[in-house]
Amino acid sequence: MQTTNDVTFGVTDPIFEIRNASVTFDMERGTSRVMDSVDMNIQRGEILGVVGESGSGKSMFASALLDAIPDPGQLSGEITFRPESGEEIELLQQSESEIKQIRWEEIAMVFQGAMSSFNPTMTIGDHFEETLDVHGYDVDDGMERGRDLLSELYLEPEQVLHSYPHELSGGMQQRALLAMSLLLDPEVLVMDEPTAALDLLMQRSIIELIRKIGQQRDLTIVFITHDLPLVANLADRLGVLYAFEFVEVGPANDVLTGSKHPYTRALLNSTPNLHTPREEMRPIEGKSPDPVSVPDGCTYHPRCPMSDDNCVAADPPFQAGSGATDHQAKCHYIDDVNEAVPLNLREVHNE
Amino acid sequence: MRYFVKRVGQSLLTIVSVVVFTFVMIRQMPGGPLAYIRAQVMQSRGADSIDMAELSKLSVDYMNYSVNDPIHVQLFNYTAQILQGDLGRSFNYGEPVGEIILKSAPWTIFLLTISIILTFAIGILLGAVMAYQEGERFDTAWTGVSMFLNSVPYFVAALLFVYVFAIQLSWFPASGNVASNLDSALTPQYVSSVLYHATLPIASLVLTGFGGIALGMRGNAIKEIGEEYIRVAHLRGVPGRRIAIRYVGRNAVLPLYTQFMISVGFMFGGSVILEQIFAYPGLGYYLLEGINARDYPLMMGIFIVITVAVVACILFADLTYGMIDPRVSDEASREAY
Ligand SMILES: Nc1ncnc2c1ncn2[C@@H]1O[C@H](COP(=O)(O)OP(=O)(O)OP(=O)(O)O)[C@@H](O)[C@H]1O
Ligand code: SF4
Ligand SMILES: [Mg+2]
């Protein structure tokens, strides 16, 4: 078995390089480590899907990419952002005013719960103008671009801009928010469960729009969800979060059809068909770990059918096993996984 | 629009009911207005010669209706006169009630305007600061103080102030609205005398009122600060000051608007006792004078004016809230307020 400590994951032109990034909260019962020494590379122009169960740290990862961990959380480590032109930027070394410029101009974010992303006493248009204004953009030009974006997202620009948030449906608010996130023409768009509150049909159509817009604008998209079937059709690569760290990273198709980590396999096996709505998904057995005291060794060992003493004693590094090096997992026994936890997936649609 | 018509209709109905109710109630009182007029006539003319025509003329003059008419005609005439702005003539002062009201209402309005502005200005500012300092010493201390002050009735504060600052310490006058030796003109002496006389009444309303507003503002603002769109606004680069004013401040103040208009009405009612305590010649003072002297036209006139003012404030608040706060633009949700 070949052990690589290479965490570039085959990424050749990284727009983001994340090394040893941790997020901690000081709590009464101890330090809560809700992101645990995460390493990740994000390829320029790709759609990276990030999946994990609820509480696994997905939103923390998203916030970390904008250095926007909610107070009183502490973010440490290195996050290097390489814009298309210009110097590379150490995100965590920036002053408050510098980071304010990077956010939304270079890296924008669509949040979990679009419904509450707009101030209810301002029209959508007010939000657009305000965003352009505080970043010193020409408001007239910017609003022109905003109107184009809204049309591209199949919205009636004038009507939407004059509406208050509550006058729009959930799907319309979601698309208006998408338009606002692209208003300053960012290079990266981080989307944290952007479709969670929408019905299935609306989810699919938004996913299509995201794919289209991403291609047109050379956008790097980080798409976060607990809904594996949802990203399966969208993402170029997948990262699987378990217990506040990535446990498997690789090209979407490889991760879905030849998962190297037992957790990913359990996740896939709990989804009988990638088109099954998440309501019908069965959860994986066992409890997800507590961020104050994660298990020693491999964090998955209490739930892993393959775990042994070695797993309890030592935390496995990322490794590729005998397969391709751009597809890695944190497991001591990668090459045995296929036999021990066979995938019962019948069809995969990753077109 | 249907809502508008409905609300205006409701308000008019309230006012008419109050007029009818006072009309009936006063007639039912022992020694009602008729007895009063009769006694007056008897006093001036000697005991036996009660001329019905004379009585009728007097009652029309004072009360706006003739005692010789059937009751429904009386009520009709009375209401019709009121709608034309004729509130009758005061028994006690001999002047038309309308003139007494015109003379006294500005003083009440002056007191209430300053009190309400101060109450809300202090309450909103304090509440906002408390919300931003949630859980810190400043917040806990002022939450306690606000809760205490809010539970003190304004008239208790008024009595206490009169006793301590007017009677014991003689820092402020115990009665009146302006020093009696000054002519009413906009001279510095006159204005400062007016403010001097108004200090204690205003202080008793403001000190017992701002706590409630501060607590309301604090609660609203804390809820706003925790909203997702505040976080999004920060990430969009909106400066903190703008977020504090345009997002947190505005969204937290708007729901207080209804409370604002209602407290205008409430204070109108409160002015009756307050002005009595400070012998401050406003509307409320004359109302109580009227009641004590059984001056029926005066008491009814002022009562009706106060009722109309209260109902109008609430109606205005109701009808304009939807324009001010976009969150309540559809009629269904507005009904809840
Ligand atoms: N403000 C906070 N203080 C302390 N712990 C927090 C805070 N916010 C989140 N956490 C903890 O951090 C961990 C990761 O949270 P995160 O929100 O990233 O999960 P998630 O994967 O996005 O879950 P979900 O699918 O529910 O959104 C959770 O265990 C959560 O309890
Ligand atoms: S390291 Fe051990 S416990 Fe962890 S996933 Fe692999 S087999 Fe399971
Ligand atoms: Mg989340």
Side-chain angles (χ1 to χ4, degrees):
Chain A
M1 192 193 315
Q2 161 206 11
T3 300
T4 55
N5 237 338
D6 162 32
V7 285
T8 58
F9 304 113
V11 168
T12 47
D13 179 15
I15 190 162
F16 266 112
E17 268 178 301
I18 300 151
R19 292 292 174 268
N20 199 25
S22 295
V23 174
T24 52
F25 284 91
D26 282 327
M27 307 220 293
E28 272 168 39
R29 39 188 206 104
T31 299
S32 175
R33 190 169 276 271
V34 297
M35 205 165 103
D36 193 4
S37 314
V38 161
D39 296 327
M40 187 53 142
N41 273 15
I42 301 175
Q43 172 87 12
R44 190 182 309 282
E46 76 169 342
I47 300 183
L48 172 70
V50 174
V51 292
E53 56 195 343
S54 186
S56 55
K58 301 186 296 293
S59 296
M60 290 300 154
F61 179 71
S63 301
L65 294 178
L66 283 89
D67 186 17
I69 300 292
D71 279 335
Q74 289 294 329
L75 173 60
S76 61
E78 267 175 62
I79 299 180
T80 314
F81 171 59
R82 298 175 199 270
E84 180 88 58
S85 52
E87 303 266 295
E88 59 177 53
I89 298 170
E90 283 300 333
L91 227 48
L92 306 192
Q93 316 280 306
Q94 304 298 303
S95 71
E96 190 55 33
S97 63
E98 286 167 325
I99 196 83
K100 275 205 156 185
Q101 241 178 2
I102 297 168
R103 287 187 199 132
W104 226 265
E105 288 181 32
E106 315 259 11
I107 310 165
M109 182 161 175
V110 172
F111 291 86
Q112 204 164 356
M115 311 293 190
S116 48
S117 290
F118 291 110
N119 180 356
T121 64
M122 283 166 58
T123 62
I124 305 297
D126 292 339
H127 286 84
F128 278 45
E129 284 173 18
E130 180 182 65
T131 308
L132 291 162
D133 185 49
V134 298
H135 285 274
Y137 281 51
D138 185 287
V139 172
D140 290 335
D141 290 354
M143 288 309 281
E144 207 41 58
R145 200 165 53 245
R147 274 185 275 270
D148 291 345
L149 275 164
L150 289 169
S151 315
E152 261 182 78
L153 295 166
Y154 305 112
L155 290 171
E156 188 53 58
E158 290 312 320
Q159 185 224 327
V160 167
L161 288 173
H162 286 110
S163 296
Y164 286 98
H166 70 269
E167 293 167 345
L168 303 178
S169 71
M172 288 164 91
Q173 283 191 44
Q174 185 56 264
R175 281 176 286 162
L177 182 61
L178 191 54
M180 184 165 76
S181 68
L182 298 172
L183 194 58
L184 306 184
D185 213 3
E187 292 188 31
V188 184
L189 180 58
V190 181
M191 310 182 90
D192 187 6
E193 310 218 26
T195 60
L198 302 177
D199 62 58
L200 212 63
L201 212 65
M202 187 55 81
Q203 285 191 2
R204 302 279 174 226
S205 79
I206 295 238
I207 295 282
E208 279 311 311
L209 285 171
I210 292 170
R211 194 217 300 274
K212 190 183 93 181
I213 282 197
Q215 273 168 2
Q216 280 168 359
R217 290 162 200 264
D218 268 336
L219 205 58
T220 307
I221 296 178
V222 179
F223 191 99
I224 292 169
T225 179
H226 62 267
D227 196 351
L228 191 53
L230 197 67
V231 275
N233 291 329
L234 179 71
D236 301 313
R237 286 195 313 139
L238 277 179
V240 180
L241 272 173
Y242 181 79
F244 325 109
E245 60 182 339
F246 284 103
V247 293
E248 177 158 4
V249 177
N253 207 33
D254 299 354
V255 172
L256 292 169
T257 55
S259 334
K260 290 181 174 178
H261 198 281
Y263 172 68
T264 313
R265 288 182 173 244
L267 206 59
L268 283 167
N269 285 344
S270 73
T271 316
N273 175 318
L274 284 181
H275 292 284
T276 307
R278 63 173 177 275
E279 290 74 28
E280 290 170 30
M281 276 172 62
R282 281 172 286 110
I284 303 165
E285 271 173 45
K287 242 174 70 230
S288 41
D290 171 6
V292 176
S293 55
V294 287
D296 288 335
C298 172
T299 50
Y300 188 56
H301 79 250
R303 291 165 90 179
C304 182
M306 299 162 61
S307 74
D308 61 14
D309 291 348
N310 186 21
C311 302
V312 180
D315 187 13
F318 261 118
Q319 47 204 314
S322 54
T325 52
D326 60 354
H327 178 192
Q328 303 186 24
K330 283 189 71 175
C331 174
H332 290 303
Y333 305 116
I334 283 184
D335 291 328
D336 306 334
V337 169
N338 202 14
E339 240 166 78
V341 191
L343 277 175
N344 58 18
L345 204 65
R346 284 176 303 274
E347 39 170 340
V348 172
H349 292 270
N350 187 42
E351 59 259 20
Chain B
M1 196 58 207
R2 258 186 50 228
Y3 182 74
F4 177 84
V5 172
K6 189 177 143 204
R7 282 297 288 122
V8 172
Q10 274 177 352
S11 304
L12 286 179
L13 196 69
T14 312
I15 292 171
V16 170
S17 321
V18 167
V19 170
V20 172
F21 177 74
T22 45
F23 175 82
V24 171
M25 192 186 66
I26 283 175
R27 280 180 55 97
Q28 294 303 318
M29 282 202 210
L34 190 57
Y36 186 91
I37 294 174
R38 188 175 283 138
Q40 291 249 305
V41 176
M42 289 204 290
Q43 249 175 21
S44 56
R45 300 288 151 75
D48 354 82
S49 64
I50 297 177
D51 175 355
M52 283 316 273
E54 170 112 31
L55 209 58
S56 167
K57 192 179 148 301
L58 277 172
S59 68
V60 170
D61 186 19
Y62 283 100
M63 301 292 297
N64 283 336
Y65 57 84
S66 163
V67 289
N68 294 336
D69 288 336
I71 181 155
H72 61 275
V73 179
Q74 290 182 9
L75 177 59
F76 178 80
N77 286 343
Y78 174 72
T79 317
Q81 288 295 333
I82 286 179
L83 290 181
Q84 289 167 36
D86 182 353
L87 295 166
R89 184 184 290 272
S90 159
F91 289 161
N92 212 13
Y93 297 92
E95 292 173 60
V97 170
E99 270 173 35
I100 298 181
I101 290 176
L102 281 184
K103 194 174 64 183
S104 57
W107 291 106
T108 302
I109 293 170
F110 162 71
L111 272 196
L112 295 191
T113 310
I114 300 205
S115 301
I116 288 172
I117 290 175
L118 285 178
T119 302
F120 275 80
I122 297 174
I124 285 172
L125 275 179
L126 179 65
V129 176
M130 278 155 72
Y132 267 93
Q133 311 251 322
E134 191 196 350
E136 319 230 334
R137 277 253 291 285
F138 180 90
D139 177 35
T140 13
W142 277 102
T143 301
V145 172
S146 299
M147 274 155 81
F148 170 72
L149 290 177
N150 193 39
S151 64
V152 177
Y154 68 92
F155 54 85
V156 170
L159 287 171
L160 193 74
F161 287 169
V162 170
Y163 180 73
V164 175
F165 296 111
I167 297 173
Q168 294 292 316
L169 298 171
S170 302
W171 288 354
F172 289 95
S175 67
N177 54 357
V178 62
S180 51
N181 57 352
L182 291 173
D183 290 329
S184 61
L186 272 179
T187 59
Q189 289 103 317
Y190 185 78
V191 172
S192 67
S193 172
V194 164
L195 291 176
Y196 185 49
H197 282 75
T199 305
L200 287 187
I202 290 176
S204 27
L205 283 180
V206 173
L207 278 177
T208 55
F210 80 81
I213 305 301
L215 292 176
M217 179 68 189
R218 174 183 181 273
N220 291 354
I222 286 176
K223 190 179 144 285
E224 287 298 325
I225 290 171
E227 291 286 354
E228 183 77 11
Y229 50 79
I230 301 293
R231 182 161 180 247
V232 177
H234 276 294
L235 295 187
R236 276 192 292 129
V238 183
R241 197 161 33 87
R242 187 178 155 85
I243 290 178
I245 295 169
R246 184 63 185 79
Y247 287 69
V248 179
R250 192 177 132 104
N251 293 3
V253 165
L254 286 180
L256 295 178
Y257 176 73
T258 330
Q259 206 176 333
F260 174 77
M261 293 310 277
I262 289 171
S263 71
V264 173
F266 166 79
M267 285 190 180
F268 255 110
S271 69
V272 178
I273 298 175
L274 187 78
E275 290 175 355
Q276 197 63 32
I277 294 173
F278 290 100
Y280 197 89
L283 272 185
Y285 176 81
Y286 281 103
L287 176 59
L288 216 62
E289 288 294 284
I291 293 172
N292 288 337
R294 296 223 186 135
D295 189 342
Y296 296 102
L298 183 62
M299 94 175 81
M300 285 183 69
I302 297 183
F303 189 71
I304 287 166
V305 165
I306 291 185
T307 309
V308 171
V310 172
V311 171
C313 283
I314 294 174
L315 175 67
F316 185 76
D318 228 22
L319 293 181
T320 49
Y321 189 44
M323 299 172 201
I324 287 180
D325 192 338
R327 287 171 292 190
V328 274
S329 59
D330 50 296
E331 298 190 350
S333 61
R334 193 148 46 147
E335 301 272 6
Y337 277 81

